[in-house]
Amino acid sequence: MSEIVQKIKDQKIVPLFYNESFEVSKNIIKALYEAGIRVIEYTNRGHQALENFTRLKEVSHTEFPGLLLGIGTVKNIQEMDDYAHAKADFIITPIINEALVKHALEKNILLIPGCFTPSDINIAHQNGLTLVKIFPADALGKNYIKSVQPVFPGMNFMPTGGIHAETEDIREWFNGGAIAAGLGSSLIGKDVNEEELTLKTKELLQQLNQ
């Protein structure tokens, strides 16, 4: 298991978000960082995504030491190369195909692909990947991972999509075989208040680690 995958497993949740504003994006990262988060997924979901991400990576070394900042919603090789050039610590996709996986391996990029079917998971497994995102998780249900896990020894699963930022809900996914949960709008709403986000995240982490 890679160091980044281990850190995702240890953290138990991976917050993910996008905001058109660089300043708002930076403030959200600051709020999460102050809560103890050290792995964050910024999503490639708007015109400012690449520019914002590049700037966030530039300031993170001094302002958020130890932070692993990855990019999500990457769907093709060009986007993968753009964000690899911007020094993304990892890349998360909503889909999987052989070309993306092979390219990531050639470029030594840590890829966490989105998988929905056993065939999807098998592409990751056959290529030696150790963590996949189950997406959209709410469409598959909390027993899905437990059902496919025995077929793919050594594979780790991170459900994302429709997961509530509540201890009980996340624990049910863990009981079903997940190692971590991706949390988007249920944790980071549109009208996010940074102070409330810090408190909510800190409390969630404490409860999950009890």
Side-chain angles (χ1 to χ4, degrees):
M1 189 181 294
S2 77
E3 185 182 347
I4 294 175
V5 173
Q6 185 62 53
K7 286 188 176 180
I8 289 171
K9 185 176 182 179
D10 292 342
Q11 186 169 280
K12 297 183 174 63
I13 61 171
V14 176
L16 57 111
F17 78 99
Y18 169 75
N19 194 286
E20 286 284 321
S21 164
F22 167 75
E23 287 302 328
V24 172
S25 297
K26 182 181 163 187
N27 288 339
I28 289 172
I29 288 176
K30 183 173 185 281
L32 292 167
Y33 188 86
E34 288 178 353
I37 293 291
R38 294 297 180 270
V39 184
I40 296 172
E41 173 191 343
Y42 196 69
T43 56
N44 178 39
R45 293 190 181 182
H47 298 301
Q48 291 296 117
L50 181 57
E51 183 182 333
N52 284 353
F53 184 85
T54 302
R55 292 176 66 191
L56 289 167
K57 280 297 296 180
E58 286 169 356
V59 302
S60 68
H61 296 295
T62 52
E63 298 197 32
F64 312 115
L67 176 69
L68 294 170
L69 185 61
I71 186 72
T73 325
V74 169
K75 301 182 291 295
N76 56 59
I77 286 172
Q78 183 59 60
E79 291 174 348
M80 184 179 285
D81 284 343
D82 288 343
Y83 284 102
H85 185 258
K87 297 183 169 56
D89 290 302
F90 55 91
I91 291 177
I92 299 181
T93 60
I95 50 89
I96 186 170
N97 60 52
E98 289 277 2
L100 278 174
V101 174
K102 297 289 188 190
H103 190 72
L105 291 170
E106 286 169 10
K107 297 285 186 177
N108 200 28
I109 296 166
L110 175 62
L111 176 66
I112 303 170
C115 296
F116 189 76
T117 67
S119 295
D120 290 343
I121 299 166
N122 191 52
I123 294 173
H125 192 248
Q126 294 299 320
N127 283 282
L129 303 188
T130 59
L131 175 61
V132 297
K133 175 176 80 168
I134 297 299
F135 176 81
D138 56 345
L140 290 165
K142 293 169 182 169
N143 292 320
Y144 178 76
I145 294 170
K146 192 177 284 185
S147 298
V148 297
Q149 210 165 25
V151 186
F152 303 105
M155 183 59 74
N156 298 283
F157 300 89
M158 178 173 69
T160 304
I163 299 175
H164 302 295
E166 298 166 0
T167 308
E168 189 175 322
D169 193 56
I170 295 167
R171 280 198 177 134
E172 285 180 18
W173 285 100
F174 288 163
N175 291 338
I179 68 153
L183 297 179
S185 58
S186 66
L187 180 65
I188 307 161
K190 278 189 176 179
D191 301 315
V192 61
N193 176 292
E194 286 86 6
E195 193 173 316
E196 288 176 5
L197 177 60
T198 297
L199 291 172
K200 181 179 182 179
T201 307
K202 187 180 288 186
E203 185 179 342
L204 186 60
L205 289 174
Q206 288 172 346
Q207 290 172 349
L208 289 172
N209 283 299
Q210 281 178 356

